[in-house]
Amino acid sequence: MSIFLTVDTLIDKAVTAELIGKEDEVYARNRILALLKLEAYQAEGTDQSEKASIPDLLEVLTAYAVEKGIIEDLFDEKEMLSATVMDCLVARPSVINQTFAAHYKKDPKQATDYFYQLSQDSNYIQTKRISQNISYKVDSEYGELDITINLSKPEKDPKQIALEKSMPKKDQTYPQCLLCVENEGYEGRIGHPARANHRMIRLNLANESWMLQYSPYVYYNEHSIVLSETHRPMEINRAGFERLLHFVDQFPHYFAGSNADLPIVGGSILSHDHYQGGHYEFAMEKAEIDFTFSMSHHPEVGAGIVKWPMSVVRLNSGNMEALLAAAEEVLSEWRRYSDPESDVLAFTGDTPHNTITPIARMRDGKYEMDLVLRNNRTDEKHPMGIFHPHEDVHHIKKENIGLIEVMGLAVLPARLKEELGEVEKALSGEDHHVADYHLPWVGELKERYQNVTADNVSGIVKEELGKKFARVLEDAGVFKRNEQGQQAFKRFVQKFESSDR
């Protein structure tokens, strides 16, 4: 396909996706030709039989730009050109926000459907790369857990890594972080992702300016990010609970949750106040209530402990203010709560250890909030965290357990794709190159499974990987799923039943 045919086919697909109108074709073509340093144009029509997707066509354009010396053959430079090309085919933020608002007046779901589709068609959501992920469900005693081996984020090539290291250190304060609103339309640079095709929806949450966007590498349906317009650190407090409830009130088909606000148990970006949401039902949401308890100060609020490997208090009410007051009381009590028998200490000196991972949703016309109790203490035996994946599961998962994992979706490293293939070979009695850190696991599986065949080995490894993830979550639970742990959990929630507190 010639360069002109590629450009026109890309524009035709943009028109079909309603990113631009027919009257925008000449303008869009000229802007793209300028990016490719093409001063002339030869009409060749479009290839209507061409099945190449927008990402495929962008790859052709970036390959042309590399060949002609317009950009270097570096990942970040190719990303910047692709995003800038798509920026020529995407409306400005004001237009997108007006369109979103018009859809919202009819139906909130119609509005998010529009914006989610646009974010995919604009190549901001990396659909082609996401399709490479390995995803499946595994049964567990806690319900169906989601397993994802993340292959969508491409590794940088050695040339780019060397370039980044050799570049002089600059005080790069714009944008301040990867989540700041200033990323909208930002060209990008070496070491900072291209965002020329990035768009955000403006929201009002509890009388504050917030933004809605989707994750470029969605881990579940309509994986969204809700971020403060102001760059400020994350903090779990009543105001945050209120914003979460306001969000699900505005978008009742979505959940919204926050990572915790302390290292080890928090998310990867604690410097910018933000939440994650989406249109997906996780295993934790489906989990049953183990037992209920009352909150003497909040008679309008239903309360219970969830049957889940992590320690979850579930509150619900038709009254937002009542639910907020109850959630604030649980947070306040947990911040100062210690139970040495369970290794839970609220403070070491002045250093706090207790916080909460909150998740809000609407259920049967009521507000519901799950409060997942977190503690980030370490000790000599568990230097990465007492309530963190323990060393014997690090061969599967050693990273922090954030909001997504808390709810029952494992985001596992790309290395496992090849490594699990070697585990399958070892179980099948074939020659293999199993990594040393998987060998104890392979030994356990060989003892447990005597009749491994080519037909069942993959299923065995998937099921056992799911069991490992359940163990990861159990490690992160502050009150364990045994009699002693559950009695300790009950002691904590009994504090809310007393009216003389």
Side-chain angles (χ1 to χ4, degrees):
M1 188 186 294
S2 75
I3 190 61
F4 299 121
L5 183 57
T6 302
V7 169
D8 282 345
T9 302
L10 176 63
I11 291 172
D12 187 60
K13 287 184 178 293
V15 172
T16 301
E18 298 183 355
L19 290 174
I20 58 174
K22 288 287 291 183
E23 57 269 57
D24 298 318
E25 285 184 348
V26 173
Y27 169 84
R29 180 189 303 116
N30 283 331
R31 299 316 308 145
I32 295 172
L33 293 177
L35 292 172
L36 298 174
K37 309 298 184 186
L38 291 166
E39 297 179 358
Y41 166 69
Q42 181 179 336
E44 297 182 11
T46 59
D47 187 349
Q48 299 298 331
S49 65
E50 177 56 51
K51 295 182 179 179
S53 64
I54 286 177
D56 293 331
L57 295 167
L58 290 172
E59 288 178 5
V60 175
L61 294 186
T62 55
Y64 172 87
V66 169
E67 179 188 345
K68 298 299 182 182
I70 299 167
I71 61 172
E72 289 194 56
D73 189 9
L74 294 172
F75 174 78
D76 279 355
E77 291 212 13
K78 289 185 283 189
E79 291 289 281
M80 285 188 280
L81 179 62
S82 292
T84 303
V85 167
M86 288 312 301
D87 184 49
C88 301
L89 304 171
V90 183
R92 293 193 177 188
S94 59
V95 175
I96 289 171
N97 274 265
Q98 290 166 11
T99 307
F100 183 92
H103 284 297
Y104 186 89
K105 285 182 180 179
K106 299 175 183 176
D107 177 36
K109 184 178 182 300
Q110 185 182 121
T112 54
D113 285 350
Y114 153 75
F115 187 48
Y116 189 56
Q117 188 62 52
L118 180 142
S119 299
Q120 295 175 84
D121 292 337
S122 69
N123 203 46
Y124 180 73
I125 295 177
Q126 299 282 339
T127 53
K128 184 175 181 179
R129 293 176 188 159
I130 292 164
S131 67
Q132 301 172 31
N133 289 346
I134 298 171
S135 300
Y136 56 90
K137 293 181 180 290
V138 175
D139 285 329
S140 78
E141 63 176 295
Y142 309 108
E144 280 191 328
L145 301 177
D146 289 295
I147 306 296
T148 295
I149 297 177
N150 179 22
L151 304 172
S152 57
K153 291 187 179 179
E155 295 183 6
K156 296 179 180 180
D157 59 74
K159 182 180 177 182
Q160 169 148 334
I161 293 172
L163 178 62
E164 288 185 26
K165 289 182 177 179
S166 67
M167 291 177 68
K169 300 298 180 184
K170 297 180 180 178
D171 183 20
Q172 295 283 11
T173 58
Y174 185 88
Q176 284 183 264
C177 77
L178 295 175
L179 290 180
C180 280
V181 66
E182 288 80 14
N183 283 281
E184 188 175 43
Y186 185 66
E187 182 182 29
R189 59 178 184 264
I190 300 297
H192 188 104
R195 291 291 183 259
N197 57 338
H198 181 27
R199 303 293 186 265
M200 299 181 182
I201 299 299
R202 274 61 182 168
L203 302 177
N204 183 308
L205 299 182
N207 296 316
E208 278 194 2
S209 296
W210 283 64
M211 329 294 281
L212 169 67
Q213 66 173 71
Y214 290 104
S215 170
Y217 297 99
V218 294
Y219 293 138
Y220 52 85
N221 188 47
E222 297 176 51
H223 179 181
S224 48
I225 299 172
V226 185
L227 57 105
S228 170
E229 188 176 44
T230 303
H231 180 78
R232 67 188 186 205
M234 288 181 62
E235 186 177 357
I236 300 299
N237 52 27
R238 180 191 171 105
F241 295 160
E242 185 176 14
R243 288 188 290 269
L244 289 173
L245 290 175
H246 273 253
F247 180 83
V248 298
D249 191 51
Q250 293 178 37
F251 303 97
H253 57 298
Y254 273 15
F255 79 89
S258 174
N259 275 305
D261 56 353
L262 293 178
I264 296 177
V265 297
S268 58
I269 301 179
L270 298 180
S271 61
H272 196 117
D273 206 0
H274 72 284
Y275 313 127
Q276 294 181 77
H279 193 189
Y280 191 72
E281 188 178 36
F282 290 87
M284 192 178 80
E285 180 179 343
K286 301 175 189 177
E288 299 175 353
I289 296 294
D290 247 355
F291 64 87
T292 61
F293 62 94
S294 61
M295 299 188 73
S296 60
H297 295 162
H298 312 286
E300 293 182 68
V301 177
I305 288 177
V306 181
K307 183 182 178 183
W308 190 245
M310 298 186 71
S311 306
V312 186
V313 173
R314 178 168 291 167
L315 307 177
N316 61 73
S317 178
N319 185 317
M320 184 188 293
E321 287 300 316
L323 183 57
L324 280 173
E328 185 181 27
E329 184 178 349
V330 174
L331 175 63
S332 177
E333 185 62 40
W334 178 244
R335 290 280 195 197
R336 60 176 180 260
Y337 188 78
S338 292
D339 182 349
E341 290 183 18
S342 303
D343 286 324
V344 174
L345 298 178
F347 292 90
T348 299
D350 294 329
T351 302
H353 295 303
N354 288 353
T355 186
I356 278 175
T357 298
I359 301 104
R361 65 182 73 89
M362 299 296 297
R363 193 197 295 262
D364 299 328
K366 290 185 174 182
Y367 302 100
E368 183 170 273
M369 183 166 281
D370 286 346
L371 303 173
V372 188
L373 309 182
R374 312 298 302 273
N375 177 285
N376 76 343
R377 283 186 63 227
T378 62
D379 61 13
E380 289 186 8
K381 185 178 180 182
H382 302 295
M384 296 184 70
I386 298 171
F387 304 105
H388 179 86
H390 291 173
E391 191 172 356
D392 63 323
V393 294
H394 282 182
H395 66 109
I396 296 298
K397 176 77 172 178
K398 65 187 297 185
E399 297 81 9
N400 293 5
I401 302 305
L403 173 68
I404 295 173
E405 287 91 359
V406 163
M407 294 185 292
L409 192 159
V411 181
L412 302 177
R415 62 178 172 83
L416 287 178
K417 178 184 178 182
E418 301 299 330
E419 293 176 2
L420 294 178
E422 297 300 319
V423 169
E424 290 183 15
K425 290 179 184 178
L427 294 180
S428 301
E430 302 175 25
D431 291 338
H432 61 83
H433 300 283
V434 172
D436 290 346
Y437 44 75
H438 289 309
L439 288 175
W441 186 41
V442 170
E444 294 171 15
L445 296 183
K446 283 185 174 180
E447 289 184 11
R448 202 175 309 149
Y449 295 94
Q450 304 301 317
N451 299 308
V452 178
T453 68
D455 292 332
N456 67 14
V457 65
S458 178
I460 288 171
V461 172
K462 285 182 176 180
E463 181 180 346
E464 292 296 326
L465 187 64
K467 290 178 181 178
K468 281 284 184 179
F469 178 54
R471 249 293 313 283
V472 163
L473 297 181
E474 289 169 347
D475 286 349
V478 293
F479 297 119
K480 301 306 179 186
R481 295 290 306 173
N482 54 35
E483 184 175 351
Q484 180 182 354
Q486 292 306 288
Q487 288 302 317
F489 204 167
K490 289 178 181 179
R491 286 197 302 273
F492 172 67
V493 299
Q494 282 169 358
K495 288 180 167 291
F496 306 108
E497 296 182 326
S498 173
S499 60
D500 58 357
R501 293 178 63 243

